[in-house]
């Protein structure tokens, strides 16, 4: 199963009022294991950045001027997303902003069936407790000491760790069947098929079978696996039947 953990930063809280996406970051998971595949773009919103937003994520309009526009990165972003599920914390917020940008570019909105809201998962697991990304990092033992401001690339890395913990604590390296995969989309599926292992049964030689039979006969007394529960009892002697 391929999933994308995603985060965005924006100029404000409402795309309907003209707020825009200024950063998109995403990490690829395959069967709940990070593959190393990432997507990250800082974007020129083609508008001002309010001071209150700058205090949250640290970006100013001057810092973003001259960066690619969303229309410049949309094809690469959609190719990375593919048809995978998209995991985000308070996912309706990120989907709402991405949908607004996609419509502005003449593209269809993201299918809501692909949306996985890690905030909703956390609320169901920890009802009544704070479930912000910082609160979950503290509760689940994820180191967020470097998070001094909202940054999509850092946040998505933390969210990926939190999401794995929420889904059962599966970590890279603990799945013995997993193979590090670095490709994305169809290439990832092809690579996964290429590394599938062919079973190699261990078949003993005739000499090994003979040695085993000799060991059982000489060293083991009445080996249970050689005794059939359906075996007929030994025939009575002539003297006993006489």
């Amino acid at each position: 199963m391929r999933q994308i953990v995603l985060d965005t930063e924006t100029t404000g809280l409402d795309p309907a009022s003209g707020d825009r996406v200024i950063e998109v970051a995403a990490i690829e998971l395959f069967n709940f294991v990070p593959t190393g595949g990432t997507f990250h773009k800082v974007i020129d919103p083609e508008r001002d950045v309010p001071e209150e937003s700058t205090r949250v994520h640290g970006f100013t309009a001057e810092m973003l001027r001259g960066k690619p526009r969303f229309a410049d990165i949309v094809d690469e972003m959609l190719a990375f997303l593919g048809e995978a599920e998209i995991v985000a914390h308070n996912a309706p917020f990120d989907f709402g902003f991405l949908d607004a940008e996609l419509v502005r570019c003449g593209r269809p909105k993201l299918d809501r069936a692909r949306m996985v809201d890690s905030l909703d998962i956390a609320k169901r697991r920890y009802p009544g407790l704070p479930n912000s990304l910082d609160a979950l990092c503290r509760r689940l033992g994820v180191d967020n000491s470097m998070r001094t401001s909202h940054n999509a690339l850092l946040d998505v890395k933390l969210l990926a760790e939190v999401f794995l913990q929420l889904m059962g604590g599966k970590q890279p390296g603990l799945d013995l069947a997993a193979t590090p995969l670095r490709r994305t989309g169809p290439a990832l599926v092809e690579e996964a098929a290429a590394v599938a292992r062919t079973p190699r049964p261990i078949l003993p030689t005739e000499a090994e079978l003979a040695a085993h039979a000799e060991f059982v006969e000489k060293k083991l007394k009445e080996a249970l696996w050689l005794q059939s529960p359906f075996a007929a009892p030994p025939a009575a002697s002539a003297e006993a039947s006489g």
Side-chain angles (χ1 to χ4, degrees):
M1 179 176 61
R2 182 173 183 265
Q3 295 173 302
I4 300 297
V5 182
L6 177 142
D7 186 53
T8 62
E9 296 297 337
T10 65
T11 62
L13 300 177
D14 185 8
S17 67
D19 284 319
R20 302 288 300 272
V21 173
I22 61 172
E23 187 181 20
V24 180
I27 289 177
E28 181 183 59
L29 306 179
F30 191 76
N31 289 339
F32 297 106
V33 177
T35 67
T38 61
F39 175 86
H40 179 230
K41 296 293 180 181
V42 176
I43 300 163
D44 183 348
E46 304 178 89
R47 57 153 290 170
D48 66 304
V49 179
E51 289 185 10
E52 56 269 27
S53 297
T54 298
R55 285 195 292 269
V56 173
H57 47 60
F59 287 109
T60 64
E62 289 73 22
M63 294 169 62
L64 299 171
R65 192 169 295 118
K67 298 293 184 182
R69 299 169 303 156
F70 190 89
D72 299 326
I73 63 96
V74 64
D75 289 334
E76 187 179 353
M77 184 193 77
L78 291 175
F80 184 82
L81 295 179
E83 298 299 323
E85 290 184 337
I86 301 172
V87 181
H89 207 60
N90 191 18
F93 177 88
D94 298 278
F95 269 62
F97 267 93
L98 290 177
D99 282 347
E101 296 288 357
L102 289 168
V103 169
R104 195 175 278 114
C105 295
R107 306 300 179 90
K109 296 180 179 181
L110 296 171
D111 184 355
R112 284 301 193 273
R114 300 170 60 185
M115 184 171 70
V116 178
D117 188 357
S118 56
L119 177 59
D120 183 58
I121 296 172
K123 285 180 177 179
R124 285 186 275 114
R125 182 166 178 178
Y126 305 112
L129 295 178
N131 286 299
S132 67
L133 184 57
D134 281 330
L136 289 170
C137 285
R138 290 190 295 269
R139 189 175 306 138
L140 298 172
V142 175
D143 182 10
N144 67 336
S145 57
M146 71 294 291
R147 189 179 189 238
T148 57
S149 65
H150 287 249
N151 171 282
L153 185 58
L154 174 58
D155 286 358
V156 81
K157 291 178 180 178
L158 294 174
L159 178 56
E161 293 187 53
V162 165
F163 177 67
L164 292 176
Q165 293 285 355
L166 288 173
M167 299 306 291
K170 191 168 185 179
Q171 297 294 329
L174 296 184
D175 185 350
L176 298 182
T179 300
L181 300 173
R182 297 288 176 176
R183 303 185 187 279
T184 61
L188 177 65
V189 177
E190 293 176 7
E191 187 169 336
V195 299
R197 297 185 180 276
T198 302
R200 294 187 296 174
I202 300 175
L203 301 176
T205 65
E206 292 295 331
E208 289 170 336
L209 290 172
H212 178 261
E214 182 180 2
F215 174 83
V216 170
E217 181 182 357
K218 295 182 178 181
K219 300 293 185 181
L220 300 183
K221 182 178 180 181
E222 299 179 352
L224 293 177
W225 64 88
L226 297 180
Q227 301 178 29
S228 170
F230 306 105
S237 64
E239 291 80 0
S241 62

